[in-house]
Amino acid sequence: MRTTVLLAMVFMLMPLEAQQKAPPAAAGAVETNPVSNAVRKILERQSKNMVAAVAEMPADKFTYHPTPAQMTFAKLVEHMAGSNNFLCSKISGTPAPTEEKLSETDPKEKLVVALKASFDYCTQALAKVDDSNLGEQLTLFGGRQASRAGAMIALTNDFADHYSMAAIYLRLNGLLPPTAKPKE
């Protein structure tokens, strides 16, 4: 009998406990700009990883490339900075920063500064982008047409592609990429 009374009390209290627990603040909430916000979050994380990967590579290895057909590490950094500036300009509708033309023969310091500046520009340029015009057509590389959403996806795909290349180049030189290092 005592067990039955205890079980009855537990079952009676369960709905009360469930009513007292407040739902999470975001439960059921609809995010206003899910695509733009996701791109900004990816930008924040990837910019740290990519700059750290480039900083990890010793200056004397910036001429390294695994095969003759592949770009040098310095060319990859030059490409990353240019791609960031171009795509973030297109996505945001703001002019890309005027910059001194980079070359794969530039010193590491200059390339790192340019890469950081490209991520700073993207952060600033994308700060006010919203999802209201994702379908608007933009002219991208080689005159190819893509929607603003497509350009945003291309930007985040570039981050993944460029970071994976940098990570491989680091590993081929006996170095760990930032995301493979033990957490401190």
Side-chain angles (χ1 to χ4, degrees), residues 42-56 80 115 119 159 162-163 166-167 170 177-180 183:
I42 293 167
L43 168 63
E44 181 181 352
R45 181 173 192 276
Q46 292 292 61
S47 64
K48 290 175 188 168
N49 289 336
M50 290 167 58
V51 169
V54 171
E56 181 72 19
M80 284 192 275
L115 182 62
F119 281 115
F159 293 159
H162 297 154
Y163 181 75
L170 287 168
T179 54
K183 303 295 181 223

Side-chain angles (χ1 to χ4, degrees), residues 130-165:
D130 62 35
D131 292 1
S132 65
N133 55 1
L134 292 175
E136 181 181 341
Q137 292 297 299
L138 307 173
T139 303
L140 300 182
F141 304 107
R144 182 175 57 89
Q145 294 291 303
S147 67
R148 186 174 312 279
M152 294 169 97
I153 291 168
L155 178 68
T156 60
N157 285 350
D158 274 0
F159 293 159
D161 180 49
H162 297 154
Y163 181 75
S164 68
M165 285 181 68

Side-chain angles (χ1 to χ4, degrees), residues 40-113:
R40 281 188 283 272
K41 284 183 181 188
I42 293 167
L43 168 63
E44 181 181 352
R45 181 173 192 276
Q46 292 292 61
S47 64
K48 290 175 188 168
N49 289 336
M50 290 167 58
V51 169
V54 171
E56 181 72 19
M57 184 66 87
D60 66 333
K61 296 290 186 177
F62 268 53
T63 57
Y64 174 78
H65 50 116
T67 68
Q70 291 174 287
M71 62 177 76
T72 65
F73 190 80
K75 182 67 177 173
L76 172 62
V77 178
E78 173 195 348
H79 174 73
M80 284 192 275
S83 179
N84 288 351
N85 287 333
F86 177 81
L87 285 170
C88 289
S89 171
K90 290 295 185 174
I91 293 165
S92 67
T94 62
T98 54
E99 60 193 45
E100 183 182 339
K101 177 82 171 129
L102 293 175
S103 167
E104 68 182 297
T105 59
D106 287 335
K108 174 182 176 175
E109 298 77 28
K110 182 176 180 178
L111 292 168
V112 170
V113 166

